[in-house]
Amino acid sequence: MNYTLNQLQIFLKIVQTRSVTKAAEELHLTQPAVSIQLKNFQEQFQIPLTEVVSRRIYITDFGMEIAETAENIINLVYAINYKTMAYKGQLIGKLKLSVVSTGKYVMPYFLTDFMKLHDGIELLMDVTNKSKVLESLENNEVDFALVSVLPTSLNIEKLDLLQNKLYLVGNADTNFKKGLKNETIFENLPLIFREKGSGTRQTMESFIANNNIKVLKKMELASNEAVKQAVLAGLGYSIMPLIGIKNELQSKELQIIPVKGLPIKTTWSLVWLKGKSHTPVSVSFLEHLKKEMDSIVHDKFTWYEQY
């Protein structure tokens, strides 16, 4: 066999994206170039790595095993490069994160200083909903995931970063009295939900179910930002994470509606598969967080404590 590191990287990207086209885009290559490399790589095995059905590419069981080995090899190559660069006092490689959509207001603050210290690191951060985050985590496609609701179906380890608070939020057009009861207020407020698969949606539905609340469902939107804009426009109300509405609260465009049982409190946690073989970059990032986490929370999230 005479496959190259480049072929291993291309094949692994095809497996991760389940698409030659998407793999080409992420690798900044042409689709024909990726297809040729896949063909050359396949010719070195007597067992199919992929199969195409109705113009869609599927990875065989054998292909998945080869992809897992390829990832280990690539990580070892990064480790070799790391050892070389370490003699020069530098850290290189990729840091791969998958972050739930509201986590985009959290994760950058825990990354900034680390990335400034190590300019040889390439950051790959996918911001999506909880279902896709957990899929990336389960498939071992990322080093870490940021979630506010811990997965129960995966064997994970975690590092808690920051408390997450969710309040009932509306625009500033209506005055609400303190101490409102759940059974009365929710009957008259049209609620806006996140899409299925969202951690915020899951938390919101758990609160409603646990309190036997009947709600007037108004609409369902696919991002926290979309929900926020709908609430600002007066289309309805929503139970939203405090982390994403700082500016609107301070400008008094949005208000927290005082309701018994709120806020809901969860925790922003960085999670990874138990037993995962960390790269030198991910090990260094984890060590950085353990050392600097308290000061980051104190410096960047002091405003959080007033609510």
Side-chain angles (χ1 to χ4, degrees), residues 8 17 126 253 268:
L8 291 176
T17 60
D126 182 32
E253 294 175 273
W268 289 109

Side-chain angles (χ1 to χ4, degrees), residues 104-120:
K104 67 188 175 199
Y105 301 109
V106 177
M107 199 68 238
Y109 293 102
F110 291 92
L111 284 163
T112 300
D113 290 343
F114 180 73
M115 296 301 295
K116 286 180 179 178
L117 284 171
H118 306 288
D119 57 7

Side-chain angles (χ1 to χ4, degrees), residues 15-278:
V15 172
Q16 291 171 345
T17 60
R18 298 296 197 274
S19 167
V20 171
T21 301
K22 290 181 180 178
E25 290 175 354
E26 294 192 14
L27 292 169
H28 305 290
L29 298 171
T30 64
Q31 184 174 333
V34 171
S35 297
I36 290 170
Q37 291 299 323
L38 175 61
K39 179 177 180 293
N40 292 340
F41 188 58
Q42 173 64 79
E43 287 176 350
Q44 299 178 71
F45 300 93
Q46 295 181 347
I47 303 172
L49 300 169
T50 64
E51 59 181 353
V52 177
V53 179
S54 299
R55 300 183 67 180
R56 290 186 62 184
I57 191 168
Y58 294 87
I59 314 301
T60 65
D61 290 341
F62 177 68
M64 292 302 297
E65 291 187 19
I66 295 300
E68 183 177 347
T69 303
E71 183 171 25
N72 290 334
I73 292 171
I74 291 168
N75 286 338
L76 287 172
V77 170
Y78 279 128
I80 292 172
N81 291 339
Y82 162 74
K83 291 180 185 298
T84 302
M85 299 302 293
Y87 278 99
K88 301 178 181 180
Q90 298 181 31
L91 183 65
I92 65 165
K94 295 181 180 179
L95 180 61
K96 296 177 286 186
L97 304 174
S98 188
V99 177
V100 295
S101 56
T102 312
K104 67 188 175 199
Y105 301 109
V106 177
M107 199 68 238
Y109 293 102
F110 291 92
L111 284 163
T112 300
D113 290 343
F114 180 73
M115 296 301 295
K116 286 180 179 178
L117 284 171
H118 306 288
D119 57 7
I121 292 175
E122 180 184 357
L123 175 63
L124 303 174
M125 187 169 75
D126 182 32
V127 180
T128 183
N129 68 24
K130 182 190 174 188
S131 294
K132 292 181 180 179
V133 167
L134 296 186
E135 183 180 341
S136 296
L137 188 66
E138 185 175 14
N139 292 337
N140 199 29
E141 296 170 354
V142 295
D143 298 308
F144 304 106
L146 182 70
V147 297
S148 60
V149 179
L150 293 176
T152 56
S153 59
L154 297 177
N155 194 8
I156 61 166
E157 297 180 76
K158 70 182 178 75
L159 178 65
D160 293 338
L161 300 180
L162 180 71
Q163 188 178 74
N164 184 35
K165 301 176 185 178
L166 295 96
Y167 288 90
L168 179 63
V169 177
N171 66 11
D173 291 346
T174 305
N175 292 324
F176 292 90
K177 297 179 180 178
K178 292 184 177 180
L180 293 169
K181 295 182 179 180
N182 296 340
E183 58 268 23
T184 57
I185 189 170
F186 283 100
E187 289 178 357
N188 300 313
L189 294 185
L191 287 188
I192 301 171
F193 285 73
R194 282 287 305 277
E195 81 286 3
K196 291 182 179 179
S198 158
T200 299
R201 165 83 172 246
Q202 180 182 340
T203 302
M204 185 172 172
E205 289 184 330
S206 294
F207 172 78
I208 290 169
N210 292 338
N211 289 275
N212 296 314
I213 299 170
K214 293 182 179 180
V215 301
L216 177 61
K217 184 176 178 180
K218 180 69 174 179
M219 65 180 69
E220 181 178 301
L221 297 173
S223 73
N224 191 68
E225 192 64 29
V227 172
K228 180 167 68 175
Q229 293 303 320
V231 174
L232 283 167
L235 288 174
Y237 301 78
S238 190
I239 296 178
M240 301 183 67
L242 178 63
I243 197 70
I245 56 175
K246 172 187 175 183
N247 294 336
E248 289 76 15
L249 287 174
Q250 292 181 343
S251 66
K252 301 189 183 304
E253 294 175 273
L254 291 179
Q255 63 173 317
I256 291 174
I257 302 167
V259 175
K260 184 179 179 181
L262 295 177
I264 304 165
K265 295 180 180 180
T266 61
T267 302
W268 289 109
S269 299
L270 198 71
V271 301
W272 60 94
L273 290 178
K274 189 175 181 63
K276 180 175 176 59
S277 297
H278 284 295

